[in-house]
Amino acid sequence: MVGLVIVSHSENLAKSVVELTSMMAADAKIAPAGGLEDGGFGTSFERIQNAIEEVYSDDGVIVLMDLGSAVMTTEMVIEMMEDRKIAMADCPLVEGTVVASVDAVGGMGFEEIMADLEKVRDMRKL
Amino acid sequence: MVGLVIVSHSENLAKSVVELTSMMAADAKIAPAGGLEDGGFGTSFERIQNAIEEVYSDDGVIVLMDLGSAVMTTEMVIEMMEDRKIAMADCPLVEGTVVASVDAVGGMGFEEIMADLEKVRDMRKL
């Protein structure tokens, strides 16, 4: 199963997004990587790296991020793991996580889920 | 100042999104309305109503939601308050909240923020 990592500047936000997936995709392989190592606001290279290791398999890992520097820190981690199948998804954090976790539990592959996440931005709520 | 309400199926997620705004828009008037009254997953008419009351002023309130039934419950609450200036924003939850809270603290008005939130969907992270 494709693994998912949720990168946020807030430890609680990353954990809450993971928790939300238990509502509709309880078996997802998903790990939070929120906040700095001391729990403060920011993104931690080490937390992202550990989260990727936790859910990694040959099926790959897709990383979803909240804001600007979350992207930069994630990029640095992925550069260090360049032989692995890891990609960052350019989509809304919560909405993308819901789609990706349902897709992954449903057996969709890495490229299929990445393509599905490209459409999340266009989803309408109203 | 325009008030903001964060509606989510998860109590923790709504609270975490509010907490995230303290990082860049600490003075925002923002209230969480997450989960059912017993704290379980779902959306609560009463919690949404109370959150709107908490941040309401003549400047208006903008409500941001996570998923499907959050929209429906919010619609019911707003129908009951039809003489008030309240709108639902059709945008990604976390990304929209960041934009709206910075806008509101910066003194932008109700219509301006609603227009800004229409653009959030098109923001790219990568």
Side-chain angles (χ1 to χ4, degrees), chain A residues 11-101:
Chain A
E11 181 173 8
N12 288 334
L13 182 54
K15 284 182 180 170
S16 305
V17 173
V18 169
E19 185 197 271
L20 183 70
T21 65
S22 70
M23 194 173 76
M24 69 278 284
D27 298 327
K29 278 172 62 181
I30 181 166
L36 298 172
E37 270 126 89
D38 67 0
F41 280 130
T43 50
S44 152
F45 185 97
E46 195 178 335
R47 286 195 169 188
I48 298 171
Q49 184 181 15
N50 291 344
I52 291 175
E53 294 287 4
E54 189 184 327
V55 298
Y56 192 81
S57 74
D58 290 344
D59 293 327
V61 167
I62 297 173
V63 185
L64 296 97
M65 300 92 24
D66 59 358
L67 304 169
S69 77
V71 176
M72 287 179 284
T73 314
T74 304
E75 268 168 0
M76 288 192 289
V77 175
I78 294 179
E79 270 171 33
M80 208 196 57
M81 299 175 157
E82 55 181 347
D83 53 330
R84 310 257 203 123
K85 192 170 171 181
I86 307 168
M88 293 188 285
D90 190 353
C91 67
L93 182 66
V94 173
E95 294 79 359
T97 302
V98 170
V99 168
S101 60

Side-chain angles (χ1 to χ4, degrees), chain A residues 8-14 16-17 19-24 41-42 65-68 71 75 88-95 98 118 120-126, chain B residues 8-14 16-17 19-24 41-42 65-68 71 75 88-95 98 118 120-126:
Chain A
S8 171
H9 282 71
S10 152
E11 181 173 8
N12 288 334
L13 182 54
S16 305
V17 173
E19 185 197 271
L20 183 70
T21 65
S22 70
M23 194 173 76
M24 69 278 284
F41 280 130
M65 300 92 24
D66 59 358
L67 304 169
V71 176
E75 268 168 0
M88 293 188 285
D90 190 353
C91 67
L93 182 66
V94 173
E95 294 79 359
V98 170
E118 272 297 309
V120 172
R121 205 180 297 104
D122 302 320
M123 281 169 37
R124 291 277 170 168
K125 294 181 177 177
L126 302 181
Chain B
S8 171
H9 282 70
S10 152
E11 180 172 7
N12 289 333
L13 183 54
S16 305
V17 173
E19 186 197 271
L20 183 71
T21 65
S22 69
M23 193 174 77
M24 69 279 282
F41 281 129
M65 300 89 29
D66 60 358
L67 303 169
V71 175
E75 267 168 1
M88 292 188 285
D90 190 353
C91 68
L93 181 66
V94 172
E95 295 79 359
V98 170
E118 271 297 310
V120 172
R121 204 180 297 103
D122 302 320
M123 281 170 36
R124 289 277 169 168
K125 294 181 178 179
L126 303 181

Side-chain angles (χ1 to χ4, degrees), chain B residues 39-98:
Chain B
F41 281 129
T43 50
S44 152
F45 186 97
E46 195 178 332
R47 286 196 169 186
I48 297 170
Q49 184 181 18
N50 290 344
I52 291 174
E53 295 287 3
E54 188 184 327
V55 297
Y56 192 82
S57 75
D58 289 345
D59 292 326
V61 167
I62 296 173
V63 185
L64 296 96
M65 300 89 29
D66 60 358
L67 303 169
S69 78
V71 175
M72 287 178 284
T73 314
T74 304
E75 267 168 1
M76 287 190 291
V77 175
I78 294 179
E79 269 171 35
M80 208 196 56
M81 297 174 157
E82 56 182 345
D83 52 330
R84 310 257 203 123
K85 191 171 172 179
I86 307 168
M88 292 188 285
D90 190 353
C91 68
L93 181 66
V94 172
E95 295 79 359
T97 302
V98 170

